[in-house]
Amino acid sequence: MRKVAIIGVGMTKFGALWDRDMTSLAVEAGVKAIRDAGIHQKDVEVLYGGTMSGGLFANQEHLASKISDYSGFKNIPSVRVEAACASGGVALRQAYLDIASGAHDIAIAGGVEKMTDLGNYSVTKILSTAADTDSEGIFGATFPGLYAMMARLHMHKYGTTEEQMAAVAVKNHKNALTNKYAQFHKQISIQDVLNSPYISDPIKLLDASPITDGAAAVVLVSEEKAKELCDTPVWIAGSGHATDSISLHDREDILTLKATVEAAKRAYLQAKITPKDIQVAEVHDCFTISELLALEDLGFVEKGQAGKFTEDGQTEFGGKIPINTSGGLKAKGHPVGASGIAQAIEAVKQLRGEAGNNTGAETALTHNVGGSGGTAVVHIFRR
Amino acid sequence: MRKVAIIGVGMTKFGALWDRDMTSLAVEAGVKAIRDAGIHQKDVEVLYGGTMSGGLFANQEHLASKISDYSGFKNIPSVRVEAACASGGVALRQAYLDIASGAHDIAIAGGVEKMTDLGNYSVTKILSTAADTDSEGIFGATFPGLYAMMARLHMHKYGTTEEQMAAVAVKNHKNALTNKYAQFHKQISIQDVLNSPYISDPIKLLDASPITDGAAAVVLVSEEKAKELCDTPVWIAGSGHATDSISLHDREDILTLKATVEAAKRAYLQAKITPKDIQVAEVHDCFTISELLALEDLGFVEKGQAGKFTEDGQTEFGGKIPINTSGGLKAKGHPVGASGIAQAIEAVKQLRGEAGNNTGAETALTHNVGGSGGTAVVHIFRR
């Protein structure tokens, strides 16, 4: 397996982009990534793109062909992958494996979702197709409800409070203030979160990531090409991908996302490091409880301690381990197929010293989850 | 890149399977492939699965997680890929690249589609999301219409007749008689095809592949594992994947599927052979005209000659190059995401000497198309 570097990143503004369609978002992100890498369309040898549901959200499947076509990449192999909200992370990993294998030297990995243009289906209903339709969806379960069960049990078992969960949202909104691509540029307070309406007790509106349109892309190259093309390559030091039971009822412990634990274990092993070596991380905060679970499952704190750790400011910019310096899914926005790639972009910017909340980190981690933990992808990046 | 072999194959009956759901079909095919390979669930290290539209056909995304879970493959990396009707071919190729790269030693590649259980959407409308919604779908174009334009031009330019197209359907129905998994076991005549109603002139009902439920899976392993586990490995000698304009209007020549030409060129180059060396092939006959175009684009005959070649019986079992000995998409059935894998199963059976219409071939080819040619995947297999 060869070394692989990211040498270009690009993303669209995240938000409710009613004047844009899915394809134009994907093309914009791709073109920006290519320009940032200093290469041309004709240099791109292979594309991996993550989208959760082109069919249900935007009435378009066969996405990799269409996006390659509209991007001017005609005739290259082009692969769409889908792993619900982890589609972007899986696209990144497949592009990484492709370059690492020697199959190609220059790949583009992207993600896109257009969630705000809808006909018959509601967004929450579409997102619920990432849960088990046969054992969860059939009873009307949607993701706010599934994560609410996890949150309630975490509160019961470890004393986690609604204020501690709110602290995740407050921090991520603050972080987003310096990210020009973020959906929200609005500081909120603990009281704002606590006063927002319950959408699924104990999860409130401001505990949840928003509905977002957007796209993100990165250019990955082999070591040889990285040395030829780039002065500031960011290396992928570890890549882990794991699945778990798609439904909550079939897990030993619904407060441990085994997919996260396994994916992280594989990534740490490959990078030959431990959680202590991570200096900044983008984790999957689709709800505030998700960020707390991620801190625990990634090994940054002991199980049950993430609420206190967050309340103490340890995950803030300037804290022990800054989490979601981009604003996270919560405030940057969560166009589901794009989120895994946007996380990688923040990691690259941190390691290049170009991030809005710049930590000067030399080692970064990204963590992308599908559904309630049926899939998790973890990547470790180094300067 | 390491050598890769297929050591196990399994598929469900293809047909209108109203008593089955998508997941159970996928699991059945996977279990059969694992048993055929003589391995156990716990031996499978990675899964690649192709499905065109879990969302629109079956209200379920996050398919790779769900199918891994229900198959007992918990915690393995599991990737769904989508390339419309070429989803199965792309899944096979990604599994091939994964094993070839050294990332894993034992992979399962599968495909599934459940097309006959529908709520709000019609199958033809869902399939049309594989065309360009913005430049084709918006005008009401569906696949019978798009392929009808290709057929009409082929007739006009090369003198191809409706009888010649009908000969494809007659041959494939005959071939399906020996395939117990085929949707149709019904011999038809040229006159039957000509008498069937026009669905999009000049394409008639019996020129079109049916709507089908089904799943198929294969087990791929590294050379070392193949030698350890199997006496009759079938080697993947070449793998090519290409895209083209998703829409017809943007092509130089709508009678040449450039994606097929490019994918085939790459596969032939890798296998170090020419079209003359192929002894049996499964090609993408979603409509009878598609098989004729494939024969030309794969290099088996000159452009424009496939109608005459077929009418002369050269593609029959016993002819110069037997095509779609399994019955093809036309008579075996076309559960779109599964078709690319089912083609590989026929190739493996031919090379093992286990096919219903056994050719004794030593080199076989499969050809899987997405949409009207926005994607094509070609694989070459050897004993």
Side-chain angles (χ1 to χ4, degrees):
Chain A
M1 303 281 281
R2 305 189 298 175
K3 281 183 74 176
V4 178
I6 294 181
I7 65 162
V9 301
M11 65 186 280
T12 66
K13 168 81 177 145
F14 279 10
L17 309 175
W18 293 343
D19 58 336
R20 299 290 301 276
D21 75 327
M22 179 170 61
T23 308
S24 81
L25 291 172
V27 171
E28 177 187 330
V31 167
K32 284 177 170 173
I34 286 170
R35 284 194 188 152
D36 185 51
I39 62 170
H40 296 93
Q41 261 104 327
K42 65 177 171 44
D43 299 322
V44 174
E45 297 170 356
V46 63
L47 177 149
Y48 290 88
T51 306
M52 176 180 158
S53 193
L56 292 169
F57 282 126
N59 200 38
Q60 179 71 65
E61 304 284 10
H62 209 184
L63 297 164
S65 171
K66 181 161 176 170
I67 291 166
S68 281
D69 179 8
Y70 279 58
S71 301
F73 301 145
K74 279 180 191 169
N75 304 129
I76 66 166
S78 186
V79 181
R80 176 201 170 190
V81 299
E82 182 268 319
C85 315
S87 298
V90 172
L92 177 68
R93 177 174 157 84
Q94 292 307 121
Y96 163 74
L97 288 175
D98 188 301
I99 302 291
S101 77
H104 300 97
D105 287 312
I106 303 183
I108 193 157
V112 63
E113 211 82 54
K114 187 75 178 84
M115 302 174 71
T116 69
D117 304 335
L118 281 176
N120 295 338
Y121 285 80
S122 79
V123 172
T124 303
K125 184 177 170 188
I126 293 171
L127 290 172
S128 79
T129 66
D132 188 353
T133 302
D134 295 317
S135 72
E136 295 179 321
I138 200 169
F139 296 111
T142 58
F143 282 100
L146 294 169
Y147 276 99
M149 289 194 276
M150 296 150 99
R152 182 57 69 195
L153 187 60
H154 208 274
M155 292 167 73
H156 175 73
K157 204 161 170 183
Y158 302 116
T160 301
T161 64
E162 295 188 44
E163 287 78 1
Q164 289 172 345
M165 290 191 276
V168 172
V170 171
K171 165 182 69 71
N172 291 352
H173 271 259
K174 184 175 176 194
N175 285 344
L177 293 174
T178 63
N179 182 349
K180 67 177 177 179
Y181 298 106
Q183 183 162 5
F184 299 129
H185 293 120
K186 182 181 164 69
Q187 184 58 65
I188 58 172
S189 67
I190 298 282
Q191 207 53 49
D192 289 335
V193 182
L194 296 178
N195 289 345
S196 68
Y198 281 102
I199 56 174
S200 188
D201 185 356
I203 291 178
K204 293 166 290 297
L205 184 65
L206 291 182
D207 284 305
S209 57
I211 293 163
T212 312
D213 304 323
V218 297
V219 174
L220 298 93
V221 299
S222 61
E223 183 171 14
E224 195 180 319
K225 286 282 175 192
K227 287 178 175 164
E228 183 188 321
L229 294 168
C230 184
D231 294 328
T232 55
V234 168
W235 302 97
I236 296 181
S239 172
H241 174 191
T243 51
D244 193 12
S245 308
I246 186 169
S247 53
L248 289 187
H249 75 268
D250 211 18
R251 298 188 192 161
E252 286 171 42
D253 171 15
I254 66 166
L255 296 183
T256 298
L257 270 61
K258 203 167 169 187
T260 295
V261 172
E262 285 294 320
K265 194 191 294 179
R266 293 167 198 173
Y268 289 134
L269 186 69
Q270 187 185 351
K272 299 190 178 71
I273 61 174
T274 70
K276 286 190 188 64
D277 301 308
I278 303 298
Q279 296 167 308
V280 63
E282 291 283 304
V283 310
H284 198 89
D285 58 323
C286 51
F287 297 97
T288 52
I289 183 65
S290 323
E291 179 166 318
L292 300 185
L293 293 173
L295 294 177
E296 296 166 358
D297 293 336
L298 292 165
F300 299 148
V301 295
E302 291 294 307
K303 183 55 70 187
Q305 299 306 306
K308 177 79 169 52
F309 191 71
T310 300
E311 193 171 42
D312 289 348
Q314 301 295 343
T315 60
E316 285 178 19
F317 177 53
K320 193 171 170 195
I321 176 166
I323 299 290
N324 288 328
T325 48
S326 71
L329 280 43
K330 174 68 196 85
K332 181 173 75 247
H334 185 26
V336 288
S339 285
I341 300 289
Q343 292 178 324
I345 291 176
E346 177 68 10
V348 168
K349 287 185 172 178
Q350 286 288 352
L351 299 179
R352 283 184 183 171
E354 298 171 359
N357 301 304
N358 204 38
T359 58
E362 297 189 357
T363 305
L365 176 147
T366 61
H367 162 252
N368 192 198
V369 171
S372 64
T375 297
V377 187
V378 173
H379 283 94
I380 295 168
F381 304 85
R382 277 209 198 99
R383 269 208 283 228
Chain B
M1 303 280 281
R2 306 189 298 176
K3 282 182 73 177
V4 178
I6 294 179
I7 66 162
V9 301
M11 64 187 281
T12 67
K13 168 82 178 147
F14 279 10
L17 310 175
W18 294 342
D19 57 338
R20 299 290 299 277
D21 76 327
M22 181 170 61
T23 309
S24 81
L25 291 171
V27 171
E28 178 187 330
V31 167
K32 283 177 171 172
I34 286 169
R35 284 194 187 151
D36 185 52
I39 62 170
H40 297 93
Q41 261 105 327
K42 65 177 171 43
D43 300 322
V44 174
E45 297 170 356
V46 63
L47 177 148
Y48 290 88
T51 306
M52 175 179 159
S53 195
L56 292 170
F57 282 126
N59 199 38
Q60 179 73 64
E61 305 284 10
H62 209 185
L63 297 163
S65 170
K66 180 160 176 171
I67 291 166
S68 280
D69 178 8
Y70 279 58
S71 300
F73 299 147
K74 279 180 192 171
N75 304 130
I76 66 167
S78 186
V79 181
R80 175 201 171 190
V81 298
E82 181 270 319
C85 315
S87 299
V90 172
L92 177 67
R93 177 174 157 84
Q94 293 307 122
Y96 163 74
L97 289 176
D98 187 302
I99 302 291
S101 77
H104 300 98
D105 287 313
I106 303 183
I108 193 157
V112 63
E113 211 82 52
K114 186 76 178 81
M115 302 175 70
T116 68
D117 303 335
L118 282 177
N120 295 337
Y121 284 80
S122 79
V123 172
T124 303
K125 183 178 170 189
I126 293 171
L127 290 172
S128 78
T129 65
D132 187 352
T133 302
D134 296 316
S135 71
E136 296 179 321
I138 199 168
F139 296 111
T142 58
F143 281 100
L146 294 169
Y147 276 100
M149 290 193 275
M150 296 151 98
R152 182 57 69 193
L153 186 61
H154 208 275
M155 293 168 72
H156 175 73
K157 202 161 172 183
Y158 301 116
T160 301
T161 65
E162 294 188 43
E163 287 78 2
Q164 289 171 346
M165 290 192 275
V168 172
V170 171
K171 165 184 69 69
N172 292 352
H173 271 259
K174 185 174 174 193
N175 285 345
L177 293 174
T178 63
N179 182 349
K180 69 177 177 178
Y181 297 105
Q183 183 161 6
F184 298 129
H185 293 119
K186 181 179 165 71
Q187 184 58 67
I188 58 172
S189 68
I190 298 282
Q191 207 54 49
D192 290 333
V193 182
L194 296 178
N195 289 346
S196 67
Y198 282 101
I199 54 172
S200 188
D201 185 356
I203 291 177
K204 292 168 290 297
L205 184 65
L206 291 182
D207 286 304
S209 57
I211 293 164
T212 312
D213 304 323
V218 298
V219 174
L220 298 93
V221 298
S222 60
E223 183 171 15
E224 194 182 321
K225 286 282 175 192
K227 286 177 176 164
E228 181 188 322
L229 294 167
C230 183
D231 294 328
T232 55
V234 168
W235 301 96
I236 297 181
S239 172
H241 174 191
T243 51
D244 193 12
S245 307
I246 186 169
S247 53
L248 289 186
H249 76 268
D250 211 20
R251 298 187 192 161
E252 286 171 40
D253 172 14
I254 66 166
L255 295 184
T256 298
L257 270 61
K258 205 168 169 187
T260 296
V261 173
E262 285 294 320
K265 195 192 292 179
R266 293 167 197 173
Y268 289 136
L269 186 70
Q270 186 184 354
K272 299 190 178 71
I273 62 172
T274 70
K276 285 189 188 67
D277 300 308
I278 301 299
Q279 296 167 311
V280 65
E282 292 282 303
V283 309
H284 198 89
D285 60 323
C286 50
F287 298 97
T288 53
I289 183 65
S290 324
E291 179 165 321
L292 299 185
L293 294 173
L295 294 177
E296 296 166 358
D297 293 336
L298 292 166
F300 298 150
V301 295
E302 291 293 307
K303 183 53 72 185
Q305 300 306 304
K308 177 80 167 52
F309 190 72
T310 300
E311 193 169 41
D312 289 349
Q314 300 296 342
T315 60
E316 284 177 21
F317 178 52
K320 194 172 170 194
I321 175 165
I323 299 291
N324 287 329
T325 47
S326 69
L329 279 45
K330 173 69 196 82
K332 180 174 75 249
H334 185 25
V336 289
S339 284
I341 301 288
Q343 291 178 325
I345 291 176
E346 178 67 11
V348 167
K349 287 186 172 179
Q350 286 289 353
L351 299 179
R352 282 184 184 172
E354 297 171 358
N357 301 303
N358 204 38
T359 58
E362 297 188 357
T363 307
L365 177 147
T366 59
H367 163 251
N368 192 197
V369 172
S372 65
T375 298
V377 187
V378 173
H379 282 95
I380 295 169
F381 304 84
R382 279 209 196 98
R383 271 209 282 227

